[in-house]
């Protein structure tokens, strides 16, 4: 269903939308209701549903991270406020990781800040660089929390179409720039599409930002999740990019630490004061226990994710093969990253209805593409990160049957 359709529960103007009650600010009225709880409700109402919905991984953090928290709390300083930007040993470990893995030399032109997850890092960035009615360009389909953060800050999210295989369209991005534009956002590997942008495309966006005096916000939450020899590229590593590039990271997926709320951001030195003000007000300091866990996780490093990524690759192939069969009424653009496919369904139903019916009639949960402002009339996002292989295969079987029956 079109997000602007008054019957769409996500439409902020729909009187049935639970967010539309007295006292809510105009700014918040304009923010879409998060879709995950709606899908969660349908799922809870349909016992036995297999969820290919939420974007989390099935594995736990390294044991070392949990042990670090068991040791935490023995000194008084563990219980006091810490530095706004994060505990020094963690910040130093992140700087080493950024240099070794992302090619980003942090100081002196930029700095690292530990945040309560990648979402908070994005919000910090938006608050630091926008005034009300400023614009931020999001290639569509986009990660809905990015759009929500922009609207919440009183700025405007401007969509820029991507190609049919969800790659960046530089012309569409350039056409979306106006005098009010402050930043272009890229997410690679991408949520919701699984697309990984090649180095050339990210360099082109970064050069465009530099030429037009814009920030390039690049989200690398899924940096460890690429397949088939594809490697992600960090635009923060480009010579001369530090002054206009904001890079965002998360431990939620890489280390299976979603509930620990740990992320970090690399910001230009010119934004240090602004971001410090925001973080000091919203968070004061990142949670100390989680920072100790994060430091221990970083010492284990990316090898923690590697065996899981290999298993996810097997799932990725299985899903692509099953949904590419001639009699399954959908298009599956290839996806070399994250753990998502955004599938276009050949149906006269809208995305919300399709997602609801797949749950209620076929007991498999997906996320409707309309939540990501996917322009195709009917699409669903499939996540294969959260479940063991057997459950993914069973969910896939139900999905294939459901699409055949409903489309
Ligand atoms: C692109 C992207 N960025 C950020 C996040 C949120 O990460 P965190 O849990 O670190 O806030 C997600 C979560 O799904 C995501 O898909």
């Amino acid at each position: 269903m079109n997000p602007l359709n008054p019957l769409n529960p996500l439409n902020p103007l729909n009187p049935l939308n639970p967010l539309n009650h007295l006292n809510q600010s105009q700014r918040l009225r304009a923010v879409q209701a998060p879709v995950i709880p709606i899908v969660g409700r349908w799922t809870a109402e349909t016992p036995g549903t297999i969820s290919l919905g939420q974007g989390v991984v099935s594995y736990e953090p390294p044991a070392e991270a949990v042990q670090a928290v068991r040791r935490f709390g023995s000194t008084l300083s563990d219980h006091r406020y810490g530095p706004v930007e994060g505990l020094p040993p963690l910040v130093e470990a992140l700087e080493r990781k950024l240099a070794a893995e992302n090619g980003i030399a942090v100081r002196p032109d930029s700095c690292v800040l530990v945040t309560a997850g990648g979402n908070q890092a994005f919000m910090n960035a938006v608050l630091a660089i926008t005034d009300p009615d400023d614009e931020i360009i999001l290639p569509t389909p986009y990660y809905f929390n990015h759009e929500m953060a922009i609207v919440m800050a009183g700025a405007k999210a401007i969509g820029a179409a991507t190609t049919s295989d969800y790659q960046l369209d530089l012309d569409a991005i350039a056409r979306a720039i106006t005098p009010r534009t402050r930043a272009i956002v890229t997410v690679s590997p991408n949520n919701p599409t699984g697309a990984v942008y090649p180095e050339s495309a990210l360099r082109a966006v970064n050069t465009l930002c530099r030429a037009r005096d814009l920030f390039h916000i690049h989200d690398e939450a899924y940096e460890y999740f690429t397949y088939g020899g594809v490697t992600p590229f960090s635009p923060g590593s480009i010579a001369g990019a530090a002054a206009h590039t904001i890079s965002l990271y998360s431990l939620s997926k890489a280390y299976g630490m979603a509930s620990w709320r740990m992320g970090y951001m690399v910001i230009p030195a010119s934004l240090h004061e602004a971001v410090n003000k925001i973080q000091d007000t919203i968070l004061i300091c990142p949670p100390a226990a989680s920072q100790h866990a994060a430091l221990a996780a970083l010492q284990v490093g990316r090898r923690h994710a590697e065996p899981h990524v290999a298993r996810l690759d097997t799932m990725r192939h299985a899903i692509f093969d099953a949904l590419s069969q001639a009699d399954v009424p959908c298009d599956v653009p290839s996806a070399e990253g994250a753990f998502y496919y955004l599938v276009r369904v050949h149906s006269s139903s809208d995305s919300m209805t399709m997602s609801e019916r797949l749950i209620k009639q076929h007991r498999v949960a997906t996320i409707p593409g309309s939540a990501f402002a996917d322009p195709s009339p009917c699409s669903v996002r499939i996540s294969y990160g959260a479940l063991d292989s057997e459950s993914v295969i069973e969910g896939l079987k139900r999905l294939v049957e459901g699409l055949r029956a409903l489309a």
Side-chain angles (χ1 to χ4, degrees):
M1 191 181 288
N2 181 321
L4 295 180
N5 185 321
L7 295 178
N8 186 337
L10 295 180
N11 182 348
L13 301 178
N14 180 348
L16 296 178
N17 181 333
L19 285 181
N20 290 342
H21 53 75
L22 207 60
N23 294 333
Q24 189 179 161
S25 70
Q26 291 299 330
R27 236 179 34 258
L28 261 293
R29 270 174 188 265
V31 177
Q32 66 163 305
V35 71
I36 300 283
I38 297 172
V39 174
R41 197 183 65 231
W42 293 335
T43 305
E45 286 165 5
T46 318
T49 297
I50 291 181
S51 177
L52 302 177
Q54 222 178 345
V56 287
V57 293
S58 62
Y59 56 88
E60 294 179 357
E64 290 84 341
V66 180
Q67 280 152 15
V69 173
R70 294 216 169 93
R71 288 192 301 272
F72 176 80
S74 55
T75 62
L76 187 58
S77 62
D78 281 348
H79 306 282
R80 297 201 157 146
Y81 293 125
V84 174
E85 63 276 10
L87 294 169
L90 178 58
V91 171
E92 284 155 25
L94 292 172
E95 287 181 2
R96 286 194 297 276
K97 178 265 176 191
L98 286 160
E101 294 183 10
N102 305 92
I104 300 179
V106 170
R107 272 171 291 117
D109 298 330
S110 50
C111 47
V112 177
L113 197 93
V114 180
T115 59
N119 269 14
Q120 196 227 332
F122 187 80
M123 193 79 214
N124 282 357
V126 172
L127 289 172
I129 65 172
T130 58
D131 286 312
D133 294 329
D134 278 348
E135 297 172 358
I136 294 189
I137 296 173
L138 298 180
T140 52
Y142 48 61
Y143 171 50
F144 45 75
N145 282 139
H146 283 172
E147 191 260 357
M148 291 165 74
I150 293 167
V151 179
M152 217 175 274
K156 291 186 179 142
I158 307 296
T162 52
T163 64
S164 60
D165 54 357
Y166 301 128
Q167 288 292 324
L168 294 174
D169 178 341
L170 252 290
D171 290 336
I173 292 175
R175 277 197 306 275
I177 297 174
T178 75
R180 300 288 326 225
T181 308
R182 296 289 286 145
I184 299 170
V185 177
T186 50
V187 180
S188 178
N190 190 270
N191 177 11
T193 66
V196 182
Y197 304 145
E199 177 176 339
S200 55
L202 289 169
R203 279 186 182 274
V205 172
N206 200 269
T207 304
L208 181 65
C209 288
R210 189 176 186 171
R212 303 292 294 267
D213 247 341
L214 308 174
F215 288 101
H216 182 182
I217 304 177
H218 184 64
D219 184 326
E220 307 194 34
Y222 298 91
E223 62 177 336
Y224 290 169
F225 300 88
T226 57
Y227 313 100
V230 170
T231 48
F233 176 71
S234 302
S237 66
I238 299 171
H244 66 278
T245 306
I246 300 173
S247 306
L248 311 179
Y249 300 89
S250 166
L251 275 72
S252 296
K253 324 285 169 178
Y255 291 99
M257 290 177 68
S259 74
W260 297 80
R261 309 310 305 131
M262 278 285 101
Y264 52 103
M265 64 197 300
V266 182
I267 53 170
S270 63
L271 291 180
H272 181 252
E273 192 189 336
V275 173
N276 257 34
K277 285 183 201 167
I278 298 161
Q279 176 122 323
D280 184 64
T281 304
I282 295 177
L283 200 58
I284 301 187
C285 65
S290 291
Q291 291 189 81
H292 281 268
L295 178 57
L298 278 169
Q299 281 157 358
V300 174
R302 68 180 304 161
R303 71 188 156 84
H304 181 66
E306 275 161 4
H308 304 289
V309 174
R311 186 185 64 81
L312 289 172
D313 195 18
T314 310
M315 292 299 99
R316 184 180 72 100
H317 282 294
I319 293 169
F320 188 82
D321 293 347
L323 295 179
S324 302
Q325 296 172 82
D327 63 340
V328 184
C330 67
D331 295 327
V332 204
S334 69
E336 274 78 42
F339 30 78
Y340 304 118
Y341 279 109
L342 187 60
V343 175
R344 297 188 197 100
V345 185
H346 306 160
S347 166
S348 55
S349 292
D350 57 77
S351 301
M352 281 299 271
T353 310
M354 178 57 65
S355 179
E356 184 176 6
R357 288 192 182 145
L358 282 169
I359 294 173
K360 294 194 171 162
Q361 297 174 20
H362 296 274
R363 292 185 303 133
V364 59
T366 58
I367 304 291
S370 50
F372 310 98
D374 183 13
S376 32
C378 186
S379 63
V380 291
R381 188 196 74 176
I382 302 165
S383 168
Y384 51 93
L387 302 175
D388 59 84
S389 305
E390 270 171 31
S391 305
V392 174
I393 296 300
E394 172 59 24
L396 180 61
K397 193 169 134 260
R398 294 182 192 183
L399 181 67
V400 166
E401 284 165 9
L403 292 176
R404 283 187 184 130
L406 295 172

